[in-house]
Amino acid sequence: MERPLELGNVTRVQEFVLLGLSTRLGIRIVLFAIFLALYLLTLLENMLIIYLICSHIELHKPMYFFLGNLSCLEMCYVSVTMPSLLVGLGSSPCHVPFAACMTQLFLFIALISTKCTLLASMAYDRYVAICRPLHYPLLMRPQVCLGLALSSWLGGLLVSVAKTSCIASLSYCGPNVLNHFFCDVSPLLNLSCTHVALTELVDFISAIVILWGSLLMAIASYVAIGRAVLHMPSAVTRCRALSTCASHLVVVGIFYGVVLFMYSRPRLIGSTDLNKVLSVIYTVVTPMCSPVIYCLRNREVQAVLQKTLHSPRVSSATTHFARS
């Protein structure tokens, strides 16, 4: 797309208009109720996971340390995009000031980049647990786990600073309508009235480093896991090893599949209804399903959850409530 280099005295966009998911009132009311329930359920699930991991020493293991980080990230992640979605459904269209839009974009990029590297760290954890079990306590000692988690969060912030700075420095002189429910990279690039070559270069490099780098690390980990599983002596051992990876594989497959489709070539992707549906999958559905897939179907977490629900404090509180 050709963009004029000389803007003259054009007026810069002061706010963006988010069209949201639907403009029909009846559909918006139903969708508002559904997404509000999904939002609250996502927060509740992830807070429960964090509470269980922090309060029970049985879950003080590297795998659950990363799951706790992921749950914290999912709560922040869904809280960045869901409010504008709900506001758009409640009073379509949603008007977002320029600064607020860039802030949302910054947080979104930081969190999605952090999630990529966290998923790669979790894949590496499973690789060490299955392929090098004797060295697991050394290779995944607390200092290493903390370093991997901190590098994930700091790496996400650095990538977001670079990408958001480039996008915020572009000129937006109209139109200001985003056919989306939050401020995303591709719709904003499509609205810019200046050249976006540098921004696309930064976006391409960050995609290579964060997205493809973490994906290749996850793939390499699971290739090594697959080879190790094939050499295990018994079917029971193979099934047990695979069961510890199945949940992670499901989430990685859904997340990376959608993100790769959406962000591999952002300039060529228009703001279509298909993009909004795919965005709902990885911004709403995945954060809601991750706790169920990862933890609530895990035997250790189930045991801790039952122990918590049947603890004397909970039982006495339930009895007191029943009597009153």
Side-chain angles (χ1 to χ4, degrees), residues 3 76 108 307:
R3 291 175 170 82
C76 299
F108 174 74
K307 180 180 176 181

Side-chain angles (χ1 to χ4, degrees), residues 230-280:
L230 291 176
H231 289 87
M232 289 180 177
S234 65
V236 174
T237 307
R238 288 194 292 269
C239 291
R240 186 178 302 168
L242 289 175
S243 66
T244 64
C245 306
S247 58
H248 185 257
L249 272 173
V250 171
V251 173
V252 166
I254 296 174
F255 176 77
Y256 278 109
V258 176
V259 171
L260 286 175
F261 181 84
M262 292 285 293
Y263 295 106
S264 293
R265 299 293 298 277
R267 184 178 181 180
L268 299 180
I269 298 175
S271 299
T272 64
D273 292 336
L274 174 61
N275 290 340
K276 289 192 285 187
V277 172
L278 293 174
S279 297
V280 167

Side-chain angles (χ1 to χ4, degrees), residues 201-216:
L201 178 62
V202 172
D203 189 73
F204 176 75
I205 294 174
S206 64
I208 292 293
V209 174
I210 296 294
L211 183 60
W212 288 102
S214 59
L215 178 59
L216 289 176

Side-chain angles (χ1 to χ4, degrees), residues 164-301:
T164 307
S165 298
C166 290
I167 295 174
S169 65
L170 297 174
S171 294
Y172 300 92
C173 40
N176 66 336
V177 178
L178 296 174
N179 186 16
H180 215 313
F181 58 87
F182 70 97
C183 295
D184 202 359
V185 175
S186 176
L188 287 170
L189 290 182
N190 290 333
L191 290 185
S192 174
C193 53
T194 53
H195 288 306
V196 295
L198 177 61
T199 303
E200 289 186 328
L201 178 62
V202 172
D203 189 73
F204 176 75
I205 294 174
S206 64
I208 292 293
V209 174
I210 296 294
L211 183 60
W212 288 102
S214 59
L215 178 59
L216 289 176
M217 182 176 176
I219 291 174
S221 298
Y222 279 108
V223 168
I225 290 172
R227 294 176 60 183
V229 168
L230 291 176
H231 289 87
M232 289 180 177
S234 65
V236 174
T237 307
R238 288 194 292 269
C239 291
R240 186 178 302 168
L242 289 175
S243 66
T244 64
C245 306
S247 58
H248 185 257
L249 272 173
V250 171
V251 173
V252 166
I254 296 174
F255 176 77
Y256 278 109
V258 176
V259 171
L260 286 175
F261 181 84
M262 292 285 293
Y263 295 106
S264 293
R265 299 293 298 277
R267 184 178 181 180
L268 299 180
I269 298 175
S271 299
T272 64
D273 292 336
L274 174 61
N275 290 340
K276 289 192 285 187
V277 172
L278 293 174
S279 297
V280 167
I281 292 176
Y282 72 85
T283 60
V284 179
V285 177
T286 302
M288 181 194 67
C289 295
S290 290
V292 179
I293 296 174
Y294 273 123
C295 292
L296 298 182
R297 297 187 62 182
N298 181 288
R299 291 182 179 179
E300 287 183 304
V301 176

